[in-house]
Amino acid sequence: MPSIELRNINNFACRDINMTVSDRELLVLLGPTGAGKTTLLNIISGLIEYEGSVLFDGIPMEGTPTNRRGVGYLFQDLVLFPHLTVSSNITYGMKIQKWDVKETDARLGELMDLMNIHHLAGRYPRDLSGGEKQRVALARAIASYPKVLLLDEPFNNLDMRTTKYLRMEFRKILKDLGLTAIFVTHSVKEAQEMADRIAVLDRGRLVQIGFPQEIFFDPHGERVSDFLGSPNILECDRYHVLGNGLVAADCNGMEVIVPYEGNSVRKIAISPGDVYLSRNRPPGPHLNRFQGIISKATPHGSVMRFTVRTGNTEIVAEISRDIAQAQDLREGVEAFIILKLRCLRVL
C-alpha cells in the first residue's frame, strides 16, 4: 500500500497543509466541526479542486481522476443503494469495472467472510441495523482492492455500545488488510482508540500531529488543549506494581491506581469530564477516591468546571450545570472526586 504525502495543500477550507501518512498507517484526522477534515479527504480522493500536490508513493496525483487514484471512500452517510441487496451493493463497483463473474463471486465470498455478513447477502439496506450497514459499506469500499482507504466519521450515527465494538473490529480489519487509511472523527476517545497517529486540524490548518499519547499529554496550544478537554496531567514521583495488571503511582502525595502494561509510569492524564464529582460520599470501593475543597467554579459552555484541591494537587472536573446546582456545588465547599480507572491514560 502506498504512502501519502500532502505538499502545501490549499483551497477554500484548508490552509498550507503539509503531512505524510506512512505505508499501512492508520492516521486519524481529529478536529471540531468545520475544521476541514472532510474537505481534506475530498482533496486526497480528487473530488474537489485544490492547490498544492497529493502524492502516492512519491507520484503526484494531479491530473489523475478520482476513479484512477485507487481510493476507497467510506462516507459518513454510507450511501448504500436502497434498491440493491447487500450482495449487489458490495459488487456494484466490480461490475462497473467489468470484472469477470467468477472473480467477482470469489471476491464477494472473501468479503462476506471478512465482515461475517453471509447471512445478510439477500437483504436490503432498510432491513439492516446500523452496525450491519457499516460492515456492508466497508466491504463495498474495499471490494476493488483500493490502495488508500478514507473513512469519514463512519460511526457518527451509531449508539455508543455499537460504536465501541466496531472501532476495535474495523481497526483489526484494516491492520490485517495492510491498508493505508485516513479516518476522520471529532471524538477524542475514538481517535485515541483507532489511531497509529493523530493529526489535529483547526480552522483548516494542521496544528499538531503525533502519536495519541503525545497529543493527549502535550497538546500544542490552548485551542488544542480545550478541544481535548484540557486534561488533568499528574506527574508521578514513584510507583509500585500491585499485580493483576495494576500499579499504584504516587503523584505528589496522591496514590492513584492505574492500568499497568509493564512500562514505567511517568505521567497520568484524565479529562475533566471523566472525573466524578459530588458533595455526597460515594458508595463503593475507595479506589482512586479523594476528598477536597472546591477552590474555583466557572461556567464552561454547557457545563460547570470545578477545581478541587486535595492535598497538594488540584483536579479539574466538569459536570452539567443542572447537577451542579442540584448538589449546591460551589467554591469553598467540601467535595469528593473519583478518578475513573477506565478513563486514566498513562505515559
Side-chain angles (χ1 to χ4, degrees):
M1 296 300 121
S3 62
I4 304 169
E5 185 179 359
L6 307 181
R7 293 181 182 172
N8 304 316
I9 296 297
N10 285 275
N11 75 346
F12 62 90
C14 295
R15 299 287 181 268
D16 300 318
I17 292 180
N18 291 274
M19 181 175 70
T20 298
V21 185
S22 300
D23 174 33
R24 300 171 184 259
E25 181 177 21
L26 174 51
L27 180 90
V28 170
L29 287 179
L30 174 67
T33 300
K37 305 183 298 295
T38 298
T39 299
L40 195 57
L41 292 192
N42 290 337
I43 287 171
I44 294 168
S45 62
L47 289 172
I48 58 176
E49 294 184 357
Y50 59 92
E51 297 176 359
S53 188
V54 176
L55 301 95
F56 289 177
D57 272 345
I59 301 173
M61 290 291 104
E62 287 65 53
T64 303
T66 298
N67 63 345
R68 297 198 175 183
R69 290 196 178 193
V71 172
Y73 205 145
L74 184 55
F75 295 92
Q76 183 174 331
D77 56 6
L78 304 182
V79 202
L80 293 177
F81 299 116
H83 62 290
L84 297 181
T85 64
V86 165
S87 294
S88 296
N89 263 284
I90 294 173
T91 59
Y92 180 83
M94 293 182 270
K95 290 178 181 177
I96 291 295
Q97 296 174 21
K98 298 182 179 179
W99 283 33
D100 177 79
V101 174
K102 290 184 178 179
E103 190 178 11
T104 298
D105 289 343
R107 181 59 172 162
L108 176 62
E110 291 174 4
L111 293 167
M112 290 286 195
D113 287 338
L114 181 65
M115 301 297 170
N116 193 25
I117 53 174
H118 271 287
H119 60 294
L120 305 177
R123 293 189 193 177
Y124 289 88
R126 64 178 178 271
D127 301 320
L128 305 179
S129 68
E132 289 169 344
K133 289 178 182 177
Q134 294 292 345
R135 291 185 181 89
V136 174
L138 179 58
R140 187 178 65 180
I142 64 176
S144 299
Y145 299 102
K147 300 175 183 176
V148 171
L149 181 63
L150 308 177
L151 305 98
D152 188 7
E153 302 203 65
F155 310 138
N156 199 37
N157 298 317
L158 299 179
D159 63 86
M160 188 178 300
R161 183 175 180 180
T162 302
T163 296
K164 184 171 180 62
Y165 175 77
L166 284 178
R167 279 201 293 260
M168 297 298 98
E169 185 179 31
F170 272 35
R171 177 176 168 81
K172 183 179 185 305
I173 289 170
L174 297 181
K175 286 300 176 184
D176 288 347
L177 292 173
L179 286 169
T180 302
I182 301 179
F183 183 103
V184 160
T185 184
H186 63 271
S187 166
V188 175
K189 185 168 292 187
E190 191 162 89
Q192 290 175 325
E193 292 186 0
M194 290 288 293
D196 293 329
R197 287 190 304 153
I198 297 172
V200 183
L201 295 186
D202 180 44
R203 293 178 290 189
R205 296 186 181 275
L206 177 64
V207 292
Q208 188 172 0
I209 186 168
F211 296 108
Q213 287 187 330
E214 293 174 338
I215 301 292
F216 199 73
F217 282 92
D218 187 23
H220 291 179
E222 187 175 338
R223 287 185 63 86
V224 177
S225 181
D226 283 346
F227 180 71
L228 295 176
S230 300
N232 296 283
I233 308 293
L234 304 177
E235 300 281 348
C236 300
D237 305 312
R238 64 189 68 85
Y239 66 92
H240 64 274
V241 178
L242 300 174
N244 297 318
L246 297 173
V247 65
D250 183 348
C251 305
N252 198 23
M254 293 176 62
E255 185 178 75
V256 183
I257 310 301
V258 297
Y260 183 59
E261 297 180 356
N263 301 316
S264 61
V265 179
R266 294 191 292 114
K267 294 181 180 181
I268 298 170
I270 186 169
S271 296
D274 292 326
V275 177
Y276 172 92
L277 174 65
S278 175
R279 285 194 67 174
N280 303 314
R281 186 181 295 275
H286 288 262
L287 182 68
N288 293 344
R289 179 193 297 182
F290 307 94
Q291 188 172 359
I293 302 293
I294 296 178
S295 60
K296 189 176 181 180
T298 55
H300 190 76
S302 62
V303 301
M304 287 294 296
R305 178 173 286 180
F306 295 94
T307 301
V308 182
R309 174 165 286 279
T310 174
N312 299 318
T313 303
E314 288 186 335
I315 300 292
V316 178
E318 287 180 352
I319 62 174
S320 73
R321 295 194 183 198
D322 290 343
I323 294 176
Q325 186 175 10
Q327 293 200 33
D328 192 25
L329 290 166
R330 50 188 166 80
E331 292 182 12
V333 304
E334 288 192 343
F336 294 88
I337 61 171
I338 297 176
L339 307 183
K340 300 175 185 177
L341 180 65
R342 69 180 184 278
C343 298
L344 292 169
R345 307 286 177 183
V346 179
L347 179 66

